[in-house]
Amino acid sequence: MGSKGHYRYHWQSHNVKQSGVDDMVLLSKITEDAIVENLKKRYMDDYIFTYIGPVLISVNPFKQMPYFGDKEIEMYQGSAQYENPPHIYALADNMYRNMIIDRENQSVIISGESGAGKTVAAKYIMSYVSRVSGGGPKVQHVKDIILQSNPLLEAFGNAKTVRNNNSSRFGKYFEIQFSPGGEPDGGKISNFLLEKSRVVMRNPDERSFHIFYQLIEGASSDQRNSLGITNLEYYNYLSQSGSYKVDDIDDRRDFKETVHAMNVIGIFASEQEMVFQIAAGILHLGNISFVEAGNYAAVESEEFLAFPAFLLGINQSRLKEKLTSRQMDSKWGGKSESINVTLNVQQALFTRDALAKALHARLFDYLVDSINKAIQKDHEDYNIGVLDIYGFEIFQKNGFEQFCINFVNEKLQQIFIELTLKAEQEEYVQEGIRWTPIEFFNNKIVCDLIENKVNPPGIMSILDDVCATMHATGEGADQTVLQKLQMQIGTHDHFNSWNQGFIIHHYAGKVSYNVEGFCERNRDVLFTDLIELMQSSDIPFIKALFSENLQAEKKGRPTTAGSKIKKQANDLVNTLMKCTPHYIRCIKPNETKKPRDWEESRVKHQVEYLGLKENIRVRRAGYAYRRVFKKFLQRYAILTKETWPSWRGDEKQGVNHLLRTVHIEHDQYQLGKTKVFIKAPESLFLLEEMRERKYDGYARAIQKVWRKYVAKKKYVQMREEASDLFLNKKERRRNSINRNFVGDYIGMDDRPELRQFVGKREKIDFADTVTKYDRRFKGIKRDLILTPKCMYLIGREKVKQGPEKGLVKEILKRRIEIEKVLSVSLSTFQDDFFIIHEQEYDSLLESIFKTEFISLLSKHFEEKAQRKLPLKFSNTLEIKLKKENWGPWTAGGSRQIQFIQGHGDVAILRPSNKMLQVMIGPGLPKNARPTKRNAMQTRDGHMTSRASHYPARAAPPPPGAHQNGVIPSRAAPGVPPANKRISSGSIDRPTLPRQATGVKGRAPALLLQNLDFLKVPEQGAAGNRAGPQVSSREPAQRQISNRPPPAGGRPKPQPKPKPQVPQCRALYAYDAQDTDELSFNANDVIDIIKEDTSGWWTGRLRGKQGLFPNNYVAKI
């Protein structure tokens, strides 16, 4: 597994300059300054990712980086962490593969301060997982929703702050749910603490949520008219901070993305209109102002009531009434009565803002719920959780929202400490591993300061107590909180107070909080008057957003915002603790939000509070990998015979045996009580690599057997289909009817000189050296190549001029497009001749593999021309000649070929002026078909079954060469021609005895058994005419008699037992074509186990038994 080819080295590997270290565990000095310097080096060279073991450090580049494309996805998919430069894709791939392999839920905790790049990191993880996981249309729909949920929730939940142009003003834990096969088939979003106060107020130079600006910039003219949209300055809620535009945000384009995301998620057009209508209604609510009239509030200009009342579907006078008065229930003596209380200006403004905040918060919850409904599934198999939550914040004025945000970040830091520092060291102690403890700051003390219930009570508990006893709004409650804090926790080491608030010593630094508005925002009460008002709306969509049952009796204290966020944070921690965690620590390099700007002190501060130095020290001193014995054995059992498929015995001994067997150094691992601990990642990579190789070897063995089975099945089918073309039309050769189809008989993969004539992407279906006959019936060798598009005839010619003069080079003689073939003509006898008819001129060819070639040609012709290839069978065939530009053949003309019944399986040619007579003996009957059991016909015509393990193809001829492609002229009638293949039907002919010769590569004469489609060398033909018949045993005797005495001029060989079986010596090298064949080199000595008349013998060489062609060897 891993990167392939040129993807192996990529955007970092190509650089000659080395930028720091990829993994800061390898730093020579472990100080904050060394860490900052390494990060700076890499950042300035555009390397934003760095590792601390499995923890990824990401520095915000404030620009688009070039390494997040398809190339990188392919590069990191399935790769080990060490194979490629650090990247968020490596972490995402590791997380995804761990989920599938270990069957465990995974989570990634992305932490860092506001503007450090957490949201972008979450997007890259989600997009990577979406790309590498498979699935059909349903799964693709889930993937689309997962990816499109980002722009939708960002529109309603993100805003520009002084620290970040696209700051998440809510927390989000996105669970991507997977099927057992690793396909994303569901999901769930949990959202935390939307900063709804941003709708009505914010710090200078900040914006409200993006959706309001998108709507004003991107709305259509119809929407502008119906929603009362004007310009940005018109709306009080948007104009108060003086910030409208952001340099790198295009609100008009983003509005289109938001609408597209709604469509993908499945929010209907009518519902989309209602969402935008409520957003516009919120803006119009903000334009309602109040004046004091006799100590009470009155609406300053009633014309501003009309649009919000219209958009929200409520009565204008009722809206006015509920904004300026409130109905209160008073209990006295067991009786209750309602009193109408008129509000002052401050209370009226508070009521207006409470309604606006409630509308936006419920709208946001509706969108989250819509996403969850679109991707929910009945049951959960496995999931990957991505936590994208607001970063640690320090503003000029920090209120209740910053207090909650920083509390959640404090809890996340606690998880990091628990799982990476504290838990790791505690585990070493529990398992009895030798270990030197490392000191670190445990922020649990800060978490307790905020969330403790009693002894001493935490800040949130004190705040809830004050809120439970406060009446209406007032500054007094906030001051009461401050006094109680001073009394009860004033002496805490991490707490200080000042005249307007208090200071907490967070893990990230000291933060000063202003208590103004703490109680109001913590109470988070929406008065029943406003709920009743919205329930009176004539728009069902708005009614559904306010679905409370106001008649239900209220018991106990109302839930406060602080208690909600505390519960959510603890639930989140519990969820994360059940998963295998992964960490991304994001760092913000500057406050200018500009690329290549590095603020040393700011980065050093983040390095300190993120605890990176302690992280490196624990990592270096500790063990990179730990697993319980059982799981370790299950994963690596395949590495030894004793542990595969399962270890029988004590698990600890099994692990020890396995590690010793694979030669892991003893100082690289320790065995605890229940777990094995491996120190270096390299040792783990070695184990993984060995495991991959083992599985790969077994997979290849299974694939080999399966492919062989499929190939055999396919070729049997092809053989039968090919045979059907000639059924009842042409006699068949005795040994050709049952042979396998190989396709490439000349090794095109190793013949670039031939491959050059074929198109780059053309698949070669057939390649063979055939005989092509010219107008004088002279045979010339040509290489015939067939592809799905064309047929090629390639010859050889001497170069007549230039630097290569005299060299014989390949030349393309003819190229015929498949659809331009008119027909193919053959005789009805068993010969190997066929004519390719084409518009311009015909080609007369001879090939022993004609059946295979014509069947493939017929198949491709039918695919191209949408009709069957015309096949003509006759014993008198006519061939149209090519028009020449010289000599007496300018006119072209034609030639005739006449086939006559003769004797034997070798065709005898009798050329005359314009006719060629071909004489050949009878073959198998025209109705012969391939046999299922590889049956073979003997000389007496009976079918005898031979062992099924012999190849169905004929034994290949020994290697031979031809000069310039020209074949010597044919012999006289009755004499076997020098170039002709001899079939098994002619075994009654005499054969030349094998001559002993020392010339390497000279083709010997044939033995009795190898008479199937073979070429007899020229010198053998001459000797055959003149010489007497010789016993087939003579070659062996002659070789023995001519052999020099043993040890003549050579060192005495080691004595060995006399062979008990006959042996033969290889005359040529042979490469096995199948798994049951032997490969051998020239002069190898092979033990003969069994001889067979098919031409395939069974032998043994170097301990392996298999088949080999007998015409490649000579008996000893």
Side-chain angles (χ1 to χ4, degrees):
M1 297 178 82
S3 5
K4 305 169 186 74
H6 65 282
Y7 289 149
R8 177 90 182 176
Y9 304 100
H10 193 48
W11 44 274
Q12 296 205 359
S13 312
H14 280 322
N15 290 281
V16 176
K17 184 179 178 183
Q18 182 67 29
S19 294
V21 294
D22 280 357
D23 191 335
M24 291 197 287
V25 171
L26 304 174
L27 282 174
S28 53
K29 281 187 179 180
I30 314 174
T31 63
E32 269 92 1
D33 290 334
I35 294 168
V36 171
E37 184 59 30
N38 188 67
L39 291 173
K40 181 181 179 181
K41 276 183 191 173
R42 296 178 64 74
Y43 176 76
M44 290 303 180
D45 288 332
D46 284 343
Y47 304 157
I48 64 170
F49 298 118
T50 311
Y51 291 132
I52 298 177
V55 177
L56 181 71
I57 312 299
S58 172
V59 184
N60 191 343
F62 290 109
K63 65 178 179 179
Q64 186 61 47
M65 303 307 284
Y67 36 76
F68 293 99
D70 292 345
K71 200 188 292 183
E72 286 73 28
I73 287 175
E74 186 167 340
M75 176 181 170
Y76 284 92
Q77 187 176 354
S79 300
Q81 182 178 304
Y82 69 94
E83 285 187 57
N84 298 308
H87 201 290
I88 196 166
Y89 287 167
L91 180 137
D93 189 73
N94 184 34
M95 187 163 57
Y96 178 67
R97 282 195 298 150
N98 283 356
M99 179 197 71
I100 294 171
I101 293 167
D102 296 334
R103 301 294 182 195
E104 290 176 357
N105 293 341
Q106 310 286 310
S107 68
V108 58
I109 300 170
I110 309 170
S111 56
E113 64 181 53
S114 182
K118 299 182 299 301
T119 299
V120 175
K123 284 185 199 171
Y124 280 130
I125 287 173
M126 289 159 75
S127 65
Y128 179 86
V129 171
S130 175
R131 287 292 299 277
V132 300
S133 51
K138 187 186 173 191
V139 169
Q140 188 56 48
H141 178 61
V142 170
K143 289 181 182 180
D144 292 341
I145 293 171
I146 288 169
L147 296 178
Q148 289 302 320
S149 67
N150 283 317
L152 179 59
L153 294 183
E154 281 184 20
F156 286 84
N158 285 28
K160 173 194 182 286
T161 68
V162 290
R163 290 180 173 272
N164 182 1
N165 288 347
N166 186 34
S167 178
S168 297
R169 308 317 299 161
F170 70 103
K172 174 178 69 176
Y173 185 63
F174 203 134
E175 291 177 72
I176 307 172
Q177 297 165 348
F178 294 84
S179 68
E183 298 167 344
D185 59 355
K188 181 186 172 188
I189 297 176
S190 305
N191 62 302
F192 310 96
L193 192 68
L194 175 72
E195 189 192 23
K196 56 190 176 185
S197 62
R198 182 163 289 273
V199 173
V200 300
M201 61 177 290
R202 66 208 67 92
N203 290 326
D205 203 31
E206 293 190 350
R207 293 208 316 178
S208 186
F209 295 106
H210 294 322
I211 186 59
F212 300 118
Y213 305 89
Q214 291 178 11
L215 183 60
I216 291 167
E217 292 291 331
S220 64
S221 56
D222 287 346
Q223 285 175 321
R224 297 180 78 85
N225 290 332
S226 62
L227 302 179
I229 292 172
T230 58
N231 54 42
L232 290 163
E233 292 82 0
Y234 172 76
Y235 301 101
N236 176 49
Y237 278 160
L238 302 183
S239 62
Q240 57 183 252
S241 59
S243 177
Y244 302 109
K245 303 281 185 185
V246 184
D247 292 340
D248 56 350
I249 291 179
D250 183 344
D251 291 313
R252 189 185 299 273
R253 185 197 65 214
D254 290 350
F255 182 69
K256 289 179 182 173
E257 281 189 26
T258 302
V259 173
H260 172 67
M262 286 182 167
N263 290 330
V264 170
I265 286 159
I267 299 173
F268 298 121
S270 58
E271 293 172 328
Q272 291 178 30
E273 285 304 317
M274 288 314 309
V275 169
F276 298 134
Q277 191 169 316
I278 292 169
I282 292 169
L283 293 179
H284 283 290
L285 265 178
N287 284 357
I288 300 171
S289 57
F290 304 94
V291 292
E292 196 169 317
N295 294 330
Y296 298 115
V299 174
E300 185 175 7
S301 178
E302 295 200 4
E303 64 187 37
F304 286 109
L305 289 167
F307 240 112
F310 164 71
L311 293 173
L312 299 175
I314 52 180
N315 183 278
Q316 183 175 328
S317 58
R318 284 205 71 191
L319 175 61
K320 175 186 171 184
E321 178 194 338
K322 294 300 180 186
L323 291 179
T324 55
S325 65
R326 184 182 307 155
Q327 197 171 30
M328 297 185 72
D329 295 334
S330 76
K331 289 186 179 180
W332 186 263
K335 294 180 181 179
S336 63
E337 59 177 303
S338 295
I339 304 168
N340 211 41
V341 178
T342 310
L343 307 178
N344 59 30
V345 171
Q346 187 185 355
Q347 291 169 333
L349 288 171
F350 176 82
T351 304
R352 177 201 69 182
D353 291 348
L355 179 58
K357 290 189 290 184
L359 281 166
H360 187 78
R362 294 183 186 221
L363 195 56
F364 189 80
D365 288 340
Y366 160 77
L367 295 172
V368 171
D369 194 46
S370 296
I371 296 167
N372 285 337
K373 282 178 180 173
I375 52 176
Q376 70 183 356
K377 56 185 277 194
D378 300 332
H379 64 285
E380 191 175 314
D381 294 303
Y382 309 106
N383 69 66
I384 290 177
V386 181
L387 180 63
D388 172 20
I389 206 158
Y390 20 57
F392 194 87
E393 289 188 344
I394 307 175
F395 293 125
Q396 195 169 358
K397 182 180 179 183
N398 301 291
F400 180 74
E401 285 78 12
Q402 280 68 48
F403 173 71
C404 292
I405 286 168
N406 292 343
F407 164 66
V408 173
N409 276 272
E410 201 77 55
K411 292 294 286 185
L412 293 179
Q413 176 68 3
Q414 190 183 6
I415 294 178
F416 183 76
I417 288 169
E418 285 284 341
L419 295 176
T420 61
L421 303 177
K422 183 168 176 279
E424 187 161 336
Q425 300 196 68
E426 286 176 355
E427 189 174 35
Y428 296 146
V429 174
Q430 288 165 8
E431 289 284 330
I433 300 296
R434 295 183 298 278
W435 172 255
T436 306
I438 289 168
E439 290 184 9
F440 59 91
F441 169 65
N442 189 342
N443 73 329
K444 185 178 185 298
I445 189 170
V446 182
C447 293
D448 289 344
L449 169 67
I450 297 170
E451 65 175 340
N452 242 15
K453 288 186 176 179
V454 287
N455 298 327
I459 295 171
M460 283 185 169
S461 294
I462 294 169
L463 185 58
D464 285 351
D465 286 342
V466 174
C467 288
T469 56
M470 70 179 278
H471 301 286
T473 58
E475 297 171 8
D478 295 330
Q479 286 302 316
T480 305
V481 169
L482 191 54
Q483 289 167 12
K484 287 201 171 191
L485 289 174
Q486 288 168 344
M487 285 170 55
Q488 300 194 30
I489 55 174
T491 57
H492 197 286
D493 291 341
H494 292 268
F495 178 87
N496 295 110
S497 62
W498 56 293
N499 60 346
Q500 290 183 320
F502 57 90
I503 298 167
I504 297 178
H505 298 233
H506 287 285
Y507 76 96
K510 294 180 180 179
V511 181
S512 175
Y513 297 102
N514 191 318
V515 293
E516 184 186 345
F518 253 63
C519 289
E520 272 304 337
R521 289 174 188 172
N522 186 50
R523 278 178 71 190
D524 195 31
V525 175
L526 185 63
F527 295 114
T528 53
D529 298 59
L530 296 179
I531 297 172
E532 285 174 350
L533 174 67
M534 300 317 295
Q535 287 180 347
S536 71
S537 170
D538 53 17
I539 300 171
F541 185 89
I542 292 176
K543 273 186 178 178
L545 293 181
F546 294 83
S547 56
E548 290 97 326
N549 181 6
L550 297 177
Q551 308 306 317
E553 190 179 346
K554 299 183 181 104
K555 292 181 180 178
R557 283 185 183 181
T559 308
T560 61
S563 58
K564 276 183 196 169
I565 197 67
K566 185 162 73 172
K567 183 180 183 302
Q568 285 180 328
N570 286 309
D571 287 348
L572 177 63
V573 167
N574 292 334
T575 302
L576 294 173
M577 287 291 200
K578 291 173 188 170
C579 303
T580 302
H582 305 262
Y583 302 95
I584 301 176
R585 312 292 261 169
C586 296
I587 288 177
K588 187 178 183 182
N590 61 61
E591 278 298 329
T592 60
K593 304 175 201 165
K594 291 179 182 175
R596 301 179 72 81
D597 186 8
W598 187 266
E599 293 179 23
E600 194 92 9
S601 58
R602 170 164 293 283
V603 176
K604 188 174 180 182
H605 175 64
Q606 292 171 78
V607 166
E608 285 172 356
Y609 76 65
L610 288 172
L612 300 191
K613 183 177 78 171
E614 290 79 8
N615 197 185
I616 294 170
R617 288 177 64 203
V618 169
R619 192 77 201 162
R620 276 173 71 149
Y623 292 82
Y625 175 88
R626 75 282 319 269
R627 265 289 184 275
V628 294
F629 295 142
K630 186 176 181 180
K631 280 200 172 184
F632 184 84
L633 280 172
Q634 282 173 350
R635 182 150 184 80
Y636 300 109
I638 199 169
L639 298 184
T640 72
K641 289 180 181 177
E642 293 79 8
T643 53
W644 180 260
S646 60
W647 171 261
R648 299 176 187 278
D650 181 60
E651 289 174 346
K652 188 171 183 177
Q653 288 177 358
V655 171
N656 206 18
H657 166 79
L658 198 152
L659 290 169
R660 281 203 319 271
T661 307
V662 298
H663 307 297
I664 299 284
E665 298 285 339
H666 192 69
D667 62 350
Q668 288 298 308
Y669 68 91
Q670 279 196 56
L671 300 180
K673 294 171 184 174
T674 63
K675 292 181 182 179
V676 58
F677 292 79
I678 295 176
K679 193 172 188 71
E682 291 74 18
S683 302
L684 181 64
F685 301 149
L686 174 68
L687 287 169
E688 283 293 321
E689 201 170 311
M690 291 170 74
R691 180 178 179 271
E692 286 290 338
R693 281 189 197 155
K694 284 279 188 182
Y695 273 112
D696 186 59
Y698 290 140
R700 285 174 188 273
I702 294 166
Q703 283 176 343
K704 196 173 183 180
V705 173
W706 171 251
R707 283 174 180 161
K708 181 180 175 184
Y709 166 74
V710 170
K712 280 183 176 177
K713 195 173 176 182
K714 175 188 169 190
Y715 284 125
V716 166
Q717 184 184 349
M718 282 175 64
R719 198 169 65 204
E720 289 177 355
E721 288 173 357
S723 178
D724 288 346
L725 291 173
F726 297 163
L727 192 64
N728 297 321
K729 296 172 184 173
K730 185 174 175 67
E731 293 176 3
R732 304 302 306 279
R733 281 199 175 278
R734 300 180 192 280
N735 257 357
S736 74
I737 195 165
N738 279 311
R739 71 173 193 85
N740 280 344
F741 288 176
V742 175
D744 182 3
Y745 296 94
I746 56 179
M748 287 294 290
D749 286 343
D750 301 319
R751 303 287 294 277
E753 71 277 11
L754 299 179
R755 199 74 176 78
Q756 65 177 319
F757 300 111
V758 182
K760 276 187 180 179
R761 297 183 183 275
E762 279 190 83
K763 179 192 172 192
I764 294 173
D765 288 326
F766 180 87
D768 183 33
T769 301
V770 302
T771 307
K772 187 253 181 197
Y773 293 90
D774 62 12
R775 63 182 66 229
R776 290 171 295 182
F777 303 114
K778 182 182 177 184
I780 304 168
K781 285 292 178 186
R782 293 280 185 261
D783 291 316
L784 173 65
I785 297 170
L786 179 68
T787 74
K789 291 182 180 178
C790 299
M791 188 179 86
Y792 301 85
L793 280 168
I794 299 164
R796 286 154 188 80
E797 286 184 1
K798 271 188 181 179
V799 180
K800 293 180 180 175
Q801 54 187 9
E804 295 183 333
K805 185 178 178 181
L807 288 178
V808 177
K809 295 206 76 175
E810 287 72 17
I811 185 165
L812 181 63
K813 289 292 186 178
R814 195 165 189 198
R815 177 179 179 273
I816 305 172
E817 292 178 13
I818 298 292
E819 57 265 37
K820 290 188 178 175
V821 174
L822 300 177
S823 61
V824 177
S825 295
L826 305 98
S827 77
T828 62
F829 296 129
Q830 63 160 328
D831 62 278
D832 295 323
F833 289 87
F834 59 95
I835 301 170
I836 304 289
H837 297 282
E838 199 249 357
Q839 193 70 43
E840 194 179 344
Y841 64 96
D842 302 337
S843 293
L844 172 60
L845 305 172
E846 184 185 16
S847 169
I848 57 171
F849 305 125
K850 64 184 180 306
T851 308
E852 181 177 354
F853 170 76
I854 292 170
S855 71
L856 288 166
L857 177 64
S858 177
K859 178 185 166 189
H860 293 326
F861 181 86
E862 193 170 342
E863 288 169 357
K864 290 280 185 185
Q866 300 299 309
R867 59 190 174 88
K868 290 194 179 296
L869 175 68
L871 296 178
K872 299 174 183 175
F873 297 88
S874 172
N875 291 332
T876 302
L877 304 177
E878 191 166 303
I879 176 170
K880 183 168 66 173
L881 300 179
K882 182 181 180 182
K883 292 181 180 179
E884 299 287 358
N885 297 326
W886 55 276
W889 299 287
T890 307
S894 64
R895 295 287 184 272
Q896 217 177 48
I897 303 148
Q898 196 171 31
F899 294 87
I900 301 169
Q901 187 87 50
H903 300 283
D905 290 346
V906 178
I908 297 167
L909 310 186
R910 290 177 176 166
S912 62
N913 187 20
K914 289 193 175 185
M915 179 182 284
L916 173 67
Q917 273 193 353
V918 180
M919 295 178 65
I920 192 161
L924 295 178
K926 292 180 182 179
N927 61 358
R929 285 178 58 79
T931 54
K932 297 281 184 183
R933 296 186 178 180
N934 291 336
M936 197 177 90
Q937 192 156 359
T938 58
R939 276 172 295 175
D940 57 4
H942 292 94
M943 302 299 288
T944 61
S945 175
R946 63 179 171 85
S948 60
H949 61 267
Y950 291 117
R953 69 182 191 278
H962 51 80
Q963 188 171 7
N964 295 351
V966 180
I967 301 172
S969 57
R970 297 284 189 157
V975 180
N979 70 310
K980 197 62 196 165
R981 306 172 185 88
I982 302 177
S983 176
S984 60
S986 59
I987 59 171
D988 53 345
R989 292 174 180 271
T991 54
L992 185 70
R994 189 181 294 277
Q995 296 179 12
T997 175
V999 182
K1000 187 177 180 181
R1002 192 170 179 182
L1006 307 178
L1007 294 173
L1008 180 66
Q1009 290 87 348
N1010 58 340
L1011 300 174
D1012 304 332
F1013 312 111
L1014 302 179
K1015 299 176 188 174
V1016 180
E1018 285 177 6
Q1019 58 269 39
N1024 201 359
R1025 281 199 298 273
Q1029 285 195 346
V1030 184
S1031 166
S1032 62
R1033 295 181 183 176
E1034 190 173 334
Q1037 293 164 355
R1038 187 176 293 184
Q1039 261 191 324
I1040 292 165
S1041 65
N1042 291 343
R1043 186 184 297 160
R1050 291 174 301 185
K1052 186 177 180 181
Q1054 292 291 326
K1056 57 181 181 179
K1058 203 169 183 179
Q1060 299 297 311
V1061 292
Q1063 293 182 310
C1064 57
R1065 186 181 304 280
L1067 300 170
Y1068 317 102
Y1070 177 72
D1071 287 326
Q1073 303 295 308
D1074 213 333
T1075 52
D1076 55 357
E1077 295 177 21
L1078 287 177
S1079 293
F1080 48 81
N1081 297 315
N1083 296 320
D1084 279 352
V1085 175
I1086 305 168
D1087 292 342
I1088 302 171
I1089 295 170
K1090 185 180 179 183
E1091 300 178 26
D1092 192 89
T1093 54
S1094 67
W1096 289 99
W1097 290 0
T1098 306
R1100 184 183 291 109
L1101 176 66
R1102 291 186 280 273
K1104 183 184 176 184
Q1105 183 173 315
L1107 301 166
F1108 64 93
N1110 67 355
N1111 50 347
Y1112 273 61
V1113 299
K1115 270 191 171 181
I1116 297 172

